[in-house]
Amino acid sequence: MPSQHPSHILRYVYGDPVSTGAVVCELPVTAGDPAAFSVRHDGTAVSFSLDVEPEDLMFGLGQSVRGMNKRGHIYRSWNTDDVMHVEEKESLYGSYNFLIITGPERTLALFLDDPGEITWDLCHTSLEQVVITSLNGDLNLYVMEDCTPAEACHDLRLLTGPSYLPPLWGFGYIQSRWGYASREDLEKVVRGHRDRGIPLDGVCMDIDYMDRYRNFTWNREKIPDLAALVRDMKKEHIHLVPIIDAGIPVDENDAACRSGLENDSFVRREDGTLFQAAVWPGLSYFTDYLNTRARAWFGSLYRPMLEAGIDGFWNDMNEPSLFYSPEGMARAYEIADEMRGKNLDLNGNWRLQSTFQSLANSRQDYASFYHDMDGRKVRHDKVHNLYGFGMTRASMEGMHAYDPDRRFLLFTRSSYIGGHRYGGMWMGDNRSWWSHLKLNLQMLPGLNMCGFLYCGADLGGFGSDVTGDLLLRWLELGIFTPLMRNHSSTGTREQEIYQFKNWEDMCNIITCRYLLLPYIYSEFMKAALDGGLYFRPLAFDYPDDRDACHVDDQLMLGGDCMIAPVYEPNAIGRSVYLPEDMLLVRLISIENLILEPMNKGYHFLPVALNEAILFVKRGHVIPLADGHFRCTDDLAQAQLSLLGWLGEKEQAGYELYTDDGRSYAAGKRRVLRSDRVDGSYILRRNPS
C-alpha cells in the first residue's frame, strides 16, 4: 500500500490508553473534543453522542449481526464465544471499533482504539442519536471528516497498516470438518473430491488430529508420520491446515507447557500465581500474547509443524474461550450444595441453572488475571479484545521467523483492528440456517472496511444439519468470498458435497470459482496493496442513488462487479436493483455461462437452484480462466478470456494482477484489452 499520511484523521486522547499495536502511523494529538460530538465523562467511562439525520446510514463494526446498515441496534465490543448468532446478540467473536455514518449532508467516521468494553447505541434508545460509550475511558479516538466512505476506509488502512496477503492456494476450495482424526480420514476426503473431479486445494484438521487435544501435537497412532502425510498430500496438490487453540494444558509432561513455564510466558493472577481455566484438554494455561517475549515463544512452537511441511493454520478459541475456572467451579458447587434437597421455586430453579451455565467465559474470571504489556501490568478485562489479535500476531511472526519470504495461510476466529495485518478470519460457529446465509453476505463489507479482506463463513453452516439446497445456495455465495471453506461440526450431517444427491451441481459451482479466480485474485490483491475494498455496500459507489443506498442484500465486488445471491428457501429467484446497466452472467458450469444484458432499475430474476449469478458493469470486462481445474496450481497453464458488455465498436481493458502466489515478491500489473466488437457483449478468448 502506498505510504501516505492519513490526511482526514484527527486524533484525540482520553484517559491513559495502552498501546494496542493497532496503529502503525503515529498522529499528533488534537486538543479538546471532536466538534461533531458531545462528550460526557461518567466516572471512568467516556461517552460520545452525535445527533443524526433520518437518511444517515451506518456501516462498519466488522462482524456483527443484523444488516449492513447497523442503525437501530445496540452493539457491544466484547469478544465472545457464542454459537447463537441471532439478531438480539450485541457481540460476537471479534471487536472492530470502526463506524462510518454517511448521508446526503455529510460523512463522518471514527475508530476507537480501545481494547476494553464499548457499547454502540446506534439510534436504539433514541431514533435520532448515536451514543458510543467506552467503559474503560482509556482510548485513542480517531475521527475522519470531509471524506467519502471509501476514503475513510483507505485512511483507516493507512493508519492501521496493510491487509494480510494469503498464498494463492488459500483462494482455492477448502474442505473441513470437526471429526477428521486420522490419515485414513483425510485420504478419504481427498479421494472423494479427486475421484469425482471436484476441485480442492486444502483440508482443515480440527482438534481430533491432536494428541489429547494438545496444541502442536498429533496422534501418532492415527497419524504416524506427519511429514510423510504432508508430502503425500502435496503430491495430490492438497495443503493440510491444522487448528491451533489458545490454551496450553497444565501438564509438565507436555512440551509446550514445560517450555512456557521455563520462559514465563503465561498470564498470572494479581498475587503472581498462574491463572488456570479449562478448555479442550482440561485445565490450561494461557499465553500472555500482549508481551513481546511471550509472543516470540508462542510463535516458535509452530516450527516443528512448519518443518514437517505444513504451510497453513487456523487459530480458534482465542477470545479467549474458557469452559470454567477452578475458582468458578468451587463457587458453583457451594451454591448447589446450599440448594441441595430444597424445594426450589421459580427463582431458585433459575438460580441453580444459571450458576452452572454462567461458568463459561465468566466476567469474574476475565477480571482475575493480568498481562505484562512489556512492563505495564494490565488487568485482562481492560484489554480483553486484544487477545485473539495477539495470538494471530504471534502465530504469523513465528511463521515469518521460520521463512520470512513465504506467504502462509492463517485465519482466526477472534480479532481486533490491526490483526488484519497478520491473518484473515472466519465468521465462527454459524448454523445451517438460511438466515445465516444472508448474515454471511451482510458481514462481508463490515469486515472489509476494517481491513479484513481475507474472510468467509463456514459454507453450509457449522452447526445443525444442512440440506442439499441450502448448501448449494451457500456455495453460490462462497465462490466470491476470498476464504471458501466448507466446515461442519461433529454430530451433524456429513457435509462434504459428494455426500449429496445433487453433488454434481455443487461441483459445477465450485469449478466456477476457479473460472473466476483470475478476477477474484486480482481484485483482492489490488485492494490489499492499494488500501481498497474487495466488497462494498452499493451506497459506497452510488451515494446519490437513494435506492442503491438502501439495498441491504447485494454487494459490489471489486471494481467491476456486483453480486446478489439467493438466500431464501424454495426461492425460484429474487428481486435485484441495478444502479446502472449491467451484464447478468448466469454461472451454471465452466462450460455453461448464460449472458443477459440488463438495464438499470428493479428486476425480478428467476434463478434456478443450480445457478450462481454475477453482474458486470456495462463497459467493463473481467478475466476468466479457461480449462478444467483440480486446484489452483492448474491456473498456471490456463488461457484467459475476457467477459463483458460493450457498446458498438467499444473497447475496454482490465488491469490484471499476477505474482508467484507464494512469496512477497512484487507482482505485475498488465492491461488486457478487448477487441472492437459490433455485438452487445463479448466472451473474448485469449485477449492481448
Side-chain angles (χ1 to χ4, degrees), residues 296-316:
W297 165 79
F298 186 82
S300 72
L301 299 179
Y302 287 81
R303 181 171 287 267
M305 299 185 88
L306 294 168
E307 291 173 342
I310 296 290
D311 51 8
F313 296 87
W314 52 304
N315 287 347
D316 196 11

PDB file of all heavy atoms in Angstrom, residues 296-316:
ATOM      1  N   ALA A 296       6.921 -14.177  21.052  1.00  0.00           N
ATOM      2  CA  ALA A 296       8.008 -14.842  20.336  1.00  0.00           C
ATOM      3  C   ALA A 296       8.092 -16.314  20.724  1.00  0.00           C
ATOM      4  O   ALA A 296       8.323 -17.184  19.863  1.00  0.00           O
ATOM      5  CB  ALA A 296       9.330 -14.132  20.611  1.00  0.00           C
ATOM      6  N   TRP A 297       7.907 -16.607  22.004  1.00  0.00           N
ATOM      7  CA  TRP A 297       7.918 -18.009  22.445  1.00  0.00           C
ATOM      8  C   TRP A 297       6.798 -18.787  21.766  1.00  0.00           C
ATOM      9  O   TRP A 297       7.030 -19.873  21.207  1.00  0.00           O
ATOM     10  CB  TRP A 297       7.758 -18.085  23.968  1.00  0.00           C
ATOM     11  CG  TRP A 297       7.409 -19.475  24.419  1.00  0.00           C
ATOM     12  CD1 TRP A 297       8.265 -20.536  24.560  1.00  0.00           C
ATOM     13  CD2 TRP A 297       6.101 -19.971  24.728  1.00  0.00           C
ATOM     14  NE1 TRP A 297       7.568 -21.663  24.942  1.00  0.00           N
ATOM     15  CE2 TRP A 297       6.242 -21.344  25.052  1.00  0.00           C
ATOM     16  CE3 TRP A 297       4.834 -19.398  24.772  1.00  0.00           C
ATOM     17  CZ2 TRP A 297       5.150 -22.137  25.409  1.00  0.00           C
ATOM     18  CZ3 TRP A 297       3.744 -20.182  25.127  1.00  0.00           C
ATOM     19  CH2 TRP A 297       3.902 -21.532  25.445  1.00  0.00           C
ATOM     20  N   PHE A 298       5.584 -18.250  21.790  1.00  0.00           N
ATOM     21  CA  PHE A 298       4.463 -18.983  21.203  1.00  0.00           C
ATOM     22  C   PHE A 298       4.672 -19.180  19.701  1.00  0.00           C
ATOM     23  O   PHE A 298       4.414 -20.260  19.165  1.00  0.00           O
ATOM     24  CB  PHE A 298       3.145 -18.244  21.466  1.00  0.00           C
ATOM     25  CG  PHE A 298       1.933 -19.014  21.016  1.00  0.00           C
ATOM     26  CD1 PHE A 298       1.396 -19.991  21.821  1.00  0.00           C
ATOM     27  CD2 PHE A 298       1.339 -18.767  19.787  1.00  0.00           C
ATOM     28  CE1 PHE A 298       0.280 -20.723  21.418  1.00  0.00           C
ATOM     29  CE2 PHE A 298       0.234 -19.482  19.373  1.00  0.00           C
ATOM     30  CZ  PHE A 298      -0.297 -20.462  20.187  1.00  0.00           C
ATOM     31  N   GLY A 299       5.144 -18.153  19.015  1.00  0.00           N
ATOM     32  CA  GLY A 299       5.384 -18.288  17.587  1.00  0.00           C
ATOM     33  C   GLY A 299       6.390 -19.374  17.265  1.00  0.00           C
ATOM     34  O   GLY A 299       6.284 -20.046  16.228  1.00  0.00           O
ATOM     35  N   SER A 300       7.356 -19.581  18.163  1.00  0.00           N
ATOM     36  CA  SER A 300       8.376 -20.606  17.919  1.00  0.00           C
ATOM     37  C   SER A 300       7.794 -22.016  17.977  1.00  0.00           C
ATOM     38  O   SER A 300       8.396 -22.960  17.442  1.00  0.00           O
ATOM     39  CB  SER A 300       9.504 -20.465  18.940  1.00  0.00           C
ATOM     40  OG  SER A 300       9.087 -20.893  20.237  1.00  0.00           O
ATOM     41  N   LEU A 301       6.646 -22.194  18.627  1.00  0.00           N
ATOM     42  CA  LEU A 301       6.049 -23.528  18.746  1.00  0.00           C
ATOM     43  C   LEU A 301       5.558 -24.066  17.407  1.00  0.00           C
ATOM     44  O   LEU A 301       5.349 -25.276  17.259  1.00  0.00           O
ATOM     45  CB  LEU A 301       4.886 -23.496  19.740  1.00  0.00           C
ATOM     46  CG  LEU A 301       5.225 -23.086  21.183  1.00  0.00           C
ATOM     47  CD1 LEU A 301       3.957 -23.087  22.042  1.00  0.00           C
ATOM     48  CD2 LEU A 301       6.274 -24.014  21.787  1.00  0.00           C
ATOM     49  N   TYR A 302       5.368 -23.191  16.422  1.00  0.00           N
ATOM     50  CA  TYR A 302       4.898 -23.637  15.111  1.00  0.00           C
ATOM     51  C   TYR A 302       5.999 -24.328  14.300  1.00  0.00           C
ATOM     52  O   TYR A 302       5.714 -25.021  13.323  1.00  0.00           O
ATOM     53  CB  TYR A 302       4.360 -22.447  14.303  1.00  0.00           C
ATOM     54  CG  TYR A 302       3.024 -21.923  14.777  1.00  0.00           C
ATOM     55  CD1 TYR A 302       2.942 -21.068  15.867  1.00  0.00           C
ATOM     56  CD2 TYR A 302       1.841 -22.277  14.128  1.00  0.00           C
ATOM     57  CE1 TYR A 302       1.717 -20.584  16.313  1.00  0.00           C
ATOM     58  CE2 TYR A 302       0.620 -21.794  14.562  1.00  0.00           C
ATOM     59  CZ  TYR A 302       0.559 -20.949  15.653  1.00  0.00           C
ATOM     60  OH  TYR A 302      -0.660 -20.480  16.085  1.00  0.00           O
ATOM     61  N   ARG A 303       7.249 -24.129  14.695  1.00  0.00           N
ATOM     62  CA  ARG A 303       8.370 -24.572  13.860  1.00  0.00           C
ATOM     63  C   ARG A 303       8.333 -26.068  13.530  1.00  0.00           C
ATOM     64  O   ARG A 303       8.524 -26.443  12.358  1.00  0.00           O
ATOM     65  CB  ARG A 303       9.697 -24.192  14.512  1.00  0.00           C
ATOM     66  CG  ARG A 303      10.913 -24.600  13.695  1.00  0.00           C
ATOM     67  CD  ARG A 303      12.195 -24.015  14.282  1.00  0.00           C
ATOM     68  NE  ARG A 303      12.289 -22.588  14.026  1.00  0.00           N
ATOM     69  CZ  ARG A 303      12.913 -22.058  12.977  1.00  0.00           C
ATOM     70  NH1 ARG A 303      13.487 -22.840  12.073  1.00  0.00           N
ATOM     71  NH2 ARG A 303      12.965 -20.755  12.822  1.00  0.00           N
ATOM     72  N   PRO A 304       8.127 -26.998  14.486  1.00  0.00           N
ATOM     73  CA  PRO A 304       8.138 -28.412  14.102  1.00  0.00           C
ATOM     74  C   PRO A 304       7.096 -28.759  13.033  1.00  0.00           C
ATOM     75  O   PRO A 304       7.380 -29.566  12.129  1.00  0.00           O
ATOM     76  CB  PRO A 304       7.848 -29.134  15.423  1.00  0.00           C
ATOM     77  CG  PRO A 304       8.330 -28.197  16.479  1.00  0.00           C
ATOM     78  CD  PRO A 304       8.015 -26.828  15.947  1.00  0.00           C
ATOM     79  N   MET A 305       5.925 -28.153  13.102  1.00  0.00           N
ATOM     80  CA  MET A 305       4.914 -28.448  12.088  1.00  0.00           C
ATOM     81  C   MET A 305       5.276 -27.782  10.762  1.00  0.00           C
ATOM     82  O   MET A 305       5.013 -28.338   9.686  1.00  0.00           O
ATOM     83  CB  MET A 305       3.531 -28.016  12.577  1.00  0.00           C
ATOM     84  CG  MET A 305       3.107 -28.742  13.843  1.00  0.00           C
ATOM     85  SD  MET A 305       1.422 -28.375  14.370  1.00  0.00           S
ATOM     86  CE  MET A 305       0.516 -29.609  13.456  1.00  0.00           C
ATOM     87  N   LEU A 306       5.894 -26.608  10.816  1.00  0.00           N
ATOM     88  CA  LEU A 306       6.380 -25.978   9.589  1.00  0.00           C
ATOM     89  C   LEU A 306       7.476 -26.831   8.953  1.00  0.00           C
ATOM     90  O   LEU A 306       7.514 -27.009   7.731  1.00  0.00           O
ATOM     91  CB  LEU A 306       6.903 -24.576   9.893  1.00  0.00           C
ATOM     92  CG  LEU A 306       5.866 -23.546  10.347  1.00  0.00           C
ATOM     93  CD1 LEU A 306       6.559 -22.300  10.890  1.00  0.00           C
ATOM     94  CD2 LEU A 306       4.923 -23.173   9.211  1.00  0.00           C
ATOM     95  N   GLU A 307       8.358 -27.379   9.781  1.00  0.00           N
ATOM     96  CA  GLU A 307       9.423 -28.238   9.259  1.00  0.00           C
ATOM     97  C   GLU A 307       8.866 -29.518   8.650  1.00  0.00           C
ATOM     98  O   GLU A 307       9.481 -30.103   7.746  1.00  0.00           O
ATOM     99  CB  GLU A 307      10.420 -28.565  10.372  1.00  0.00           C
ATOM    100  CG  GLU A 307      11.239 -27.353  10.806  1.00  0.00           C
ATOM    101  CD  GLU A 307      12.096 -27.625  12.024  1.00  0.00           C
ATOM    102  OE1 GLU A 307      11.817 -28.619  12.739  1.00  0.00           O
ATOM    103  OE2 GLU A 307      13.036 -26.838  12.282  1.00  0.00           O
ATOM    104  N   ALA A 308       7.676 -29.935   9.123  1.00  0.00           N
ATOM    105  CA  ALA A 308       7.021 -31.108   8.539  1.00  0.00           C
ATOM    106  C   ALA A 308       6.330 -30.785   7.221  1.00  0.00           C
ATOM    107  O   ALA A 308       5.795 -31.695   6.576  1.00  0.00           O
ATOM    108  CB  ALA A 308       6.016 -31.686   9.534  1.00  0.00           C
ATOM    109  N   GLY A 309       6.321 -29.510   6.844  1.00  0.00           N
ATOM    110  CA  GLY A 309       5.752 -29.128   5.559  1.00  0.00           C
ATOM    111  C   GLY A 309       4.414 -28.429   5.631  1.00  0.00           C
ATOM    112  O   GLY A 309       3.869 -28.025   4.600  1.00  0.00           O
ATOM    113  N   ILE A 310       3.853 -28.267   6.830  1.00  0.00           N
ATOM    114  CA  ILE A 310       2.587 -27.540   6.977  1.00  0.00           C
ATOM    115  C   ILE A 310       2.826 -26.077   6.603  1.00  0.00           C
ATOM    116  O   ILE A 310       3.797 -25.466   7.032  1.00  0.00           O
ATOM    117  CB  ILE A 310       2.061 -27.646   8.420  1.00  0.00           C
ATOM    118  CG1 ILE A 310       1.716 -29.097   8.771  1.00  0.00           C
ATOM    119  CG2 ILE A 310       0.861 -26.731   8.629  1.00  0.00           C
ATOM    120  CD1 ILE A 310       0.512 -29.654   8.060  1.00  0.00           C
ATOM    121  N   ASP A 311       1.919 -25.511   5.801  1.00  0.00           N
ATOM    122  CA  ASP A 311       2.067 -24.102   5.421  1.00  0.00           C
ATOM    123  C   ASP A 311       0.782 -23.304   5.605  1.00  0.00           C
ATOM    124  O   ASP A 311       0.601 -22.251   4.993  1.00  0.00           O
ATOM    125  CB  ASP A 311       2.584 -23.963   3.988  1.00  0.00           C
ATOM    126  CG  ASP A 311       1.792 -24.784   2.982  1.00  0.00           C
ATOM    127  OD1 ASP A 311       0.748 -25.355   3.356  1.00  0.00           O
ATOM    128  OD2 ASP A 311       2.219 -24.858   1.814  1.00  0.00           O
ATOM    129  N   GLY A 312      -0.104 -23.792   6.473  1.00  0.00           N
ATOM    130  CA  GLY A 312      -1.320 -23.059   6.796  1.00  0.00           C
ATOM    131  C   GLY A 312      -1.891 -23.519   8.117  1.00  0.00           C
ATOM    132  O   GLY A 312      -1.778 -24.705   8.484  1.00  0.00           O
ATOM    133  N   PHE A 313      -2.479 -22.600   8.876  1.00  0.00           N
ATOM    134  CA  PHE A 313      -3.074 -22.903  10.179  1.00  0.00           C
ATOM    135  C   PHE A 313      -4.348 -22.087  10.348  1.00  0.00           C
ATOM    136  O   PHE A 313      -4.525 -21.045   9.715  1.00  0.00           O
ATOM    137  CB  PHE A 313      -2.114 -22.534  11.320  1.00  0.00           C
ATOM    138  CG  PHE A 313      -0.836 -23.323  11.346  1.00  0.00           C
ATOM    139  CD1 PHE A 313       0.266 -22.909  10.612  1.00  0.00           C
ATOM    140  CD2 PHE A 313      -0.730 -24.477  12.102  1.00  0.00           C
ATOM    141  CE1 PHE A 313       1.452 -23.621  10.633  1.00  0.00           C
ATOM    142  CE2 PHE A 313       0.454 -25.202  12.133  1.00  0.00           C
ATOM    143  CZ  PHE A 313       1.546 -24.777  11.386  1.00  0.00           C
ATOM    144  N   TRP A 314      -5.227 -22.567  11.251  1.00  0.00           N
ATOM    145  CA  TRP A 314      -6.339 -21.726  11.692  1.00  0.00           C
ATOM    146  C   TRP A 314      -6.355 -21.725  13.219  1.00  0.00           C
ATOM    147  O   TRP A 314      -6.182 -22.746  13.859  1.00  0.00           O
ATOM    148  CB  TRP A 314      -7.663 -22.150  11.080  1.00  0.00           C
ATOM    149  CG  TRP A 314      -8.099 -23.586  11.184  1.00  0.00           C
ATOM    150  CD1 TRP A 314      -7.420 -24.691  10.773  1.00  0.00           C
ATOM    151  CD2 TRP A 314      -9.349 -24.070  11.693  1.00  0.00           C
ATOM    152  NE1 TRP A 314      -8.161 -25.831  10.990  1.00  0.00           N
ATOM    153  CE2 TRP A 314      -9.344 -25.475  11.542  1.00  0.00           C
ATOM    154  CE3 TRP A 314     -10.470 -23.450  12.230  1.00  0.00           C
ATOM    155  CZ2 TRP A 314     -10.417 -26.277  11.942  1.00  0.00           C
ATOM    156  CZ3 TRP A 314     -11.548 -24.244  12.620  1.00  0.00           C
ATOM    157  CH2 TRP A 314     -11.515 -25.641  12.474  1.00  0.00           C
ATOM    158  N   ASN A 315      -6.500 -20.539  13.782  1.00  0.00           N
ATOM    159  CA  ASN A 315      -6.467 -20.327  15.230  1.00  0.00           C
ATOM    160  C   ASN A 315      -7.887 -20.205  15.768  1.00  0.00           C
ATOM    161  O   ASN A 315      -8.718 -19.493  15.201  1.00  0.00           O
ATOM    162  CB  ASN A 315      -5.701 -19.052  15.572  1.00  0.00           C
ATOM    163  CG  ASN A 315      -4.207 -19.202  15.371  1.00  0.00           C
ATOM    164  OD1 ASN A 315      -3.701 -20.304  15.199  1.00  0.00           O
ATOM    165  ND2 ASN A 315      -3.492 -18.087  15.396  1.00  0.00           N
ATOM    166  N   ASP A 316      -8.144 -20.870  16.903  1.00  0.00           N
ATOM    167  CA  ASP A 316      -9.502 -20.933  17.455  1.00  0.00           C
ATOM    168  C   ASP A 316      -9.461 -20.712  18.963  1.00  0.00           C
ATOM    169  O   ASP A 316      -8.400 -20.695  19.580  1.00  0.00           O
ATOM    170  CB  ASP A 316     -10.100 -22.305  17.117  1.00  0.00           C
ATOM    171  CG  ASP A 316     -11.613 -22.364  17.287  1.00  0.00           C
ATOM    172  OD1 ASP A 316     -12.239 -21.297  17.460  1.00  0.00           O
ATOM    173  OD2 ASP A 316     -12.169 -23.461  17.226  1.00  0.00           O
TER     174      ASP A 316
END
